[in-house]
Amino acid sequence: MKTVSKTLPKRPYVCLSCARTISRSTRRYATESKASPEIYDVVCVGGGPAGLSLLTALKNSRQTSNLKLALIESQDLAPARTWQLPPTQYSNRASSLTPTSKAFLTEIGAWQHIQHSRVQPYHEMQVWDGVSNSRIEFDWPSSSQQQGSPTNNKTIAYMTENSNLVRTLLTRLSEFDDNVTILDKTKVSSITLGSDEPSSVNLSSWPHLTLSNGRTLAARLLVGADGFNSPVRTFAGIDSRGWDYDRHGVVATVKLEDNSLASSEEEQEKTAYQRFLPTGPVALLALPGPYATLVWSTLPQHAAHLKTLSQEDFAAMVNAAFRLSPVDIKYMHTLPAGQADELTWREPHARLSAAAKIPRRVLTLQEGSVASFPLRMRHADTYVGERVALVGDAAHTIHPLAGQGLNQGLGDVQALVRTLEYAVAHGWDVGAGMSLEAYGRERYAANHRLLGVVDKLHKLYAVGGGPLVGLRSWGLEAVNAVGPLKQFFMRQAAGGGG
């Protein structure tokens, strides 16, 4: 029997870069529009603080105010524009703004619209080791106010709710009359590269976004401010690397006991507290009045257990976290209930120095404010591609122990706006890779340093015993004792550079 051989056609070799381009340009969805795209200079996906501040800063800048801008947000922004809560209620999504971030928001005309009654500056921060009780006290000495602090005052940071900031940015953005399109309640169905149509402008290198409302947008520059699972980053083929911490962050709004002995000045100049436990740091950050926001990084099973407790027992666990030994706290996590009684019995035996500064007692927590989320560290391989830039969580995700996540995003926005201003002033294409290189270099290096420091701090304080505890305690006390060194770290944390 004669065997008939068939020669299969050889597949042409396609390099990885071209294959990625072909894949992106040929991907199509049923919802894709065949109509000509609407052309924009900058399209930003994501309507959180990073995305909104980017559009606001671009419109506020003399060099970039004429750019045609669009913002795409899947959520309804109407409630955010009219957001309002009573003075006895606070959102559990609050952030710490550095003086540098506050100065940026002031510069772009947004800070004047914030609800100042819901902003709490704090002027001191007490940080200590939960195992050894070694402590560092962050505050600006009066002699350094004119040259140490980025804003020449005693404020370390400003606590405010994220909703307050979003409302502020939307209000400022509404003051610009033209060239801004906000598409909320709208999802991105697909992102592809355009095509070279002989009868129209060549947009083959421009990202084309097909939206859930049927519209198609072509972006000279596409900015991803779309969070940890960024579709813009995926479209650009940029990998993000890192790891999960096997920790969850528990947040809540709590009410503290009244401090009837405090003067009005002492009441205004509040203190933030953070204690490093082997399972993770616990922080209590002041809000206006007798309220504070809790951020407690702990084991997933502890986080789940905390959310099942009554208000009284939850408050007892928070009070224990700042007063009892790690061994006592670990035991209280095993109790299904009755933490309040357990704290009453154990607290008189706690090893607390009479001079130790600890937060006022938590009395109650705001109903429905307890939530948790997994903690992770991620960093994108690069922040820029051809006609693509990443800002905020789309580029990096950080452990909350330093309270720098939002400030990193605002720092990204500041740098990107400066880069685009330079490009416009010199007649460059704002989406070209050459135009974006400076932004990528500046912010990747700065964020990489901060991510590394925070990651190492988490791992350093996760050790519960041995010689490492003594070494880290000596280091903490040494930094606290050397004024110029401590002020250097404070300037870094405040965003003031070296």
Side-chain angles (χ1 to χ4, degrees), residues 271-444:
T271 301
Y273 299 89
Q274 185 173 50
R275 186 188 188 196
F276 281 89
L277 300 169
T279 52
V282 55
L284 209 54
L285 307 170
L287 292 171
Y291 303 98
T293 186
L294 169 75
V295 184
W296 189 347
S297 304
T298 188
L299 299 174
Q301 60 268 31
H302 290 174
H305 181 50
L306 287 169
K307 292 192 290 184
T308 67
L309 298 179
S310 66
Q311 286 210 18
E312 183 184 21
D313 286 339
F314 186 97
M317 284 300 301
V318 178
N319 291 327
F322 287 99
R323 290 164 173 82
L324 300 188
S325 71
V327 174
D328 288 336
I329 298 168
K330 182 178 180 180
Y331 172 74
M332 290 178 67
H333 273 300
T334 66
L335 301 178
Q339 281 80 0
D341 293 336
E342 192 68 26
L343 176 63
T344 301
W345 182 83
R346 289 179 179 268
E347 188 173 0
H349 309 287
R351 295 187 302 109
L352 277 179
S353 166
K357 293 183 178 181
I358 57 176
R360 286 180 281 165
R361 290 183 179 278
V362 173
L363 297 180
T364 60
L365 67 148
Q366 184 177 295
E367 190 71 36
S369 69
V370 181
S372 67
F373 52 92
L375 304 182
R376 55 176 66 95
M377 193 278 279
R378 295 287 191 278
H379 204 192
D381 286 349
T382 179
Y383 292 2
V384 298
E386 192 67 20
R387 303 203 178 280
V388 172
L390 304 176
V391 298
D393 287 351
H396 44 74
T397 307
I398 192 170
H399 193 291
L401 69 86
Q404 291 297 311
L406 178 57
N407 296 300
Q408 279 186 296
L410 293 177
D412 295 344
V413 169
Q414 286 180 270
L416 181 57
V417 170
R418 285 196 302 268
T419 299
L420 298 181
E421 285 174 337
Y422 187 89
V424 171
H426 289 77
W428 296 355
D429 182 346
V430 296
M434 181 182 69
S435 301
L436 301 171
E437 282 179 356
Y439 163 68
R441 283 197 307 269
E442 176 186 347
R443 290 308 296 169
Y444 186 91

Side-chain angles (χ1 to χ4, degrees), residues 57-76:
L58 289 174
K59 294 307 298 180
N60 186 72
S61 168
R62 180 172 57 86
Q63 289 94 335
T64 59
S65 60
N66 290 325
L67 295 178
K68 187 178 180 182
L69 312 176
L71 182 137
I72 303 166
E73 168 57 39
S74 61
Q75 302 297 315
D76 185 359

Side-chain angles (χ1 to χ4, degrees), residues 44-57:
C44 179
V45 180
L52 290 171
S53 62
L54 173 64
L55 264 66
T56 303

Side-chain angles (χ1 to χ4, degrees), residues 177-367:
D177 296 328
D178 56 359
N179 283 342
V180 180
T181 300
I182 296 181
L183 302 170
D184 61 343
K185 298 182 289 185
T186 304
K187 295 183 179 181
V188 177
S189 300
S190 68
I191 308 175
T192 66
L193 290 176
S195 57
D196 183 6
E197 298 291 340
S199 59
S200 63
V201 179
N202 181 6
L203 302 177
S204 58
S205 68
W206 289 34
H208 284 214
L209 296 90
T210 302
L211 308 181
S212 58
N213 60 10
R215 296 170 69 171
T216 303
L217 277 55
R220 184 185 298 274
L221 172 63
L222 175 61
V223 178
D226 47 351
F228 167 67
N229 292 311
S230 168
V232 173
R233 190 182 67 232
T234 301
F235 159 76
I238 299 173
D239 290 330
S240 180
R241 305 175 194 279
W243 44 81
D244 296 343
Y245 284 117
D246 191 30
R247 297 289 191 276
H248 279 206
V250 178
V251 295
T253 302
V254 299
K255 184 177 182 180
L256 308 177
E257 63 183 358
D258 291 330
N259 189 3
S260 57
L261 299 178
S263 66
S264 58
E265 183 179 355
E266 288 174 330
E267 181 63 22
Q268 288 300 315
E269 296 192 356
K270 293 190 174 180
T271 301
Y273 299 89
Q274 185 173 50
R275 186 188 188 196
F276 281 89
L277 300 169
T279 52
V282 55
L284 209 54
L285 307 170
L287 292 171
Y291 303 98
T293 186
L294 169 75
V295 184
W296 189 347
S297 304
T298 188
L299 299 174
Q301 60 268 31
H302 290 174
H305 181 50
L306 287 169
K307 292 192 290 184
T308 67
L309 298 179
S310 66
Q311 286 210 18
E312 183 184 21
D313 286 339
F314 186 97
M317 284 300 301
V318 178
N319 291 327
F322 287 99
R323 290 164 173 82
L324 300 188
S325 71
V327 174
D328 288 336
I329 298 168
K330 182 178 180 180
Y331 172 74
M332 290 178 67
H333 273 300
T334 66
L335 301 178
Q339 281 80 0
D341 293 336
E342 192 68 26
L343 176 63
T344 301
W345 182 83
R346 289 179 179 268
E347 188 173 0
H349 309 287
R351 295 187 302 109
L352 277 179
S353 166
K357 293 183 178 181
I358 57 176
R360 286 180 281 165
R361 290 183 179 278
V362 173
L363 297 180
T364 60
L365 67 148
Q366 184 177 295
E367 190 71 36

